[in-house]
Amino acid sequence: MLFNSIDFLVFFPIVLLIYFILPKKVRYIWLLIASYYFYMCWNPAYIVLLVISTAITYCCGLVTEKLKGNAQISPSKRRLGMKLSIAVCFLSNIGILIYFKYTNFLIDTVNVLFDAAHIRAVPAVDILLPVGISFYTFQALGYTIDVYRGDIEAERNPLKYALFVSFFPQLVAGPIERSSNLLNQIHEEADHKLWDYKRVTSGLIMMLWGFFIKVVIADRAAVVADTIFDAYEQYQMVGLMVGAFAFAIQIYCDFQGYSTIAIGAARVLGFDLMENFNTPYFASSVTDFWRRWHVSLSTWFRDYLYIPLGGNRCSTWKHYRNILITFGVSGLWHGADWTYVIWGILHGFYQIAEKMLAPLMKKIHARCHTRTASFGYRFFKVVVTFVFVDIAWIFFRADSLYQAFHYIRRMVTCRDWWSLFDQSIYKMGLDVREWNVLWIALLLLLAVDLLRYIKAESLCEFLSRQWIVFRWGILVLLLFFVVVFGYYGPGFASAQFIYFQF
């Protein structure tokens, strides 16, 4: 069930109505039922994987905590038992993830080696990737690590824990929630105010904004990106730059749109999910970009992979190694293809280069008396960062490494600056009317992101302080754009969210 579908527009009000009617003590059970139904709408059979992952991590959490508090067992045996419990949890969940997501990737990689050695190829396996498997397995694994570290106590109510893993607003594409946040809120759910007007209206406004940037911007930009990437050999510099820019806009608005709808829906129900985006395209460095982009995933890798590897509390070269490993694994998490791995490693090299060049740049700025706090300098850094991030996005979007490298080569060598002035842009998937709608929508997005970047204020907070006529005018305008200019695909079929495939 997609957020941007008629099914969800029927499903969510029903869930909401029954949720507020039921007694407080049993409302979490209703949310669990609704979450399982939501997930089963894609493929009922794969609910088994969700249940297995939930059951294993739930039991491992209990075993780990029981061993930790058992004074009758020696400390060394307790540590060994806890490590074995965590190992079983990891191997089972990662095993499920590897089988369903990476089996054919591993087979393809092996076949390349076999082909070089003239050995018969291994046939591919027909596997359908379960929606959201990377998200809920990571959320469940994070819980078991938190219990092992002693950051939280193990959850004893299996239904409340199951709701933590499967909470439908963020189940299939995040944010990847921490147990210390969402699980605690599930426990405190019975204390939620039955109807909080301010909370509900702010949640609905967030959902409306999420729908706007998804169906008006992301799905429209997707047409341009798909048109150019699918026939990139027919385009030259300008067209290829437009395609790369369009994909950068598409993936940002698509994923931020999902996260915003998820956070808004959860807020209507009385839950606060973590923010997943903080104006990433205003980042002044690639390191800063990853503080702002997909925050729930970047902090997950920081806390559960980068820091355990040693983080930056080690030698310089080991620090660089830790960065490359973290971002290489992050790339692999995004997709079972070498294009994603290269995308991740490229971001790792970007950050290493920034750290290596930092002393030199500091000396240059001191020698040239550069006003690093000036608007011009900060704007320049934002533009340069966006260019490097956008180049990396080409690998993320390309179907193969060959296509990515060939795309970049043509973009650099096949110059056609005149295409900026001969209306060639209107032959890249959208006509004049559609481009005008996209530009207007992008201006609205820019205004909201600038508000967040400069004043650290969300759209909901801004509108809450405005004159009621202005506030409702903005909301009606957004609703008008969603209903009239929303790009719903051929035959008004709901367009899939990009991150559902991860």
Side-chain angles (χ1 to χ4, degrees), residues 40 45 118 124 158 166 187-188 197 244 258 272 294 317 345 347 359 369 429 435 448 481:
M40 291 172 67
H118 304 289
S166 64
H187 273 290
E188 298 166 359
Y197 175 80
Y258 179 92
D272 290 320
H294 203 348
W317 293 109
I345 291 176
H347 272 275
H369 304 289
W435 270 110
V448 172
F481 263 81

Side-chain angles (χ1 to χ4, degrees), residues 4 26 92 117 207 209 243 252 268 289-290 292 303 305 317 346 349 358 398 401 422 434 467:
N4 54 324
V26 298
S92 57
M207 293 180 71
W209 177 244
Y252 172 49
V268 172
F289 173 81
W290 279 101
R292 299 169 178 271
D303 295 341
L305 179 60
W317 293 109
L346 193 56
F349 276 120
L401 290 177
D422 63 2
E434 295 297 323
W467 181 37

Side-chain angles (χ1 to χ4, degrees), residues 177 181-182 185 199 263 266-267 270-274:
E177 273 297 336
N181 180 36
L182 182 56
Q185 291 184 68
R199 186 197 74 220
I263 294 169
R267 184 172 296 180
F271 298 87
D272 290 320
L273 302 182
M274 68 184 299

Side-chain angles (χ1 to χ4, degrees), residues 136-148:
Y136 68 72
T137 52
F138 267 42
Q139 184 158 310
L141 288 174
Y143 160 81
T144 58
I145 297 173
D146 290 341
V147 173
Y148 174 77

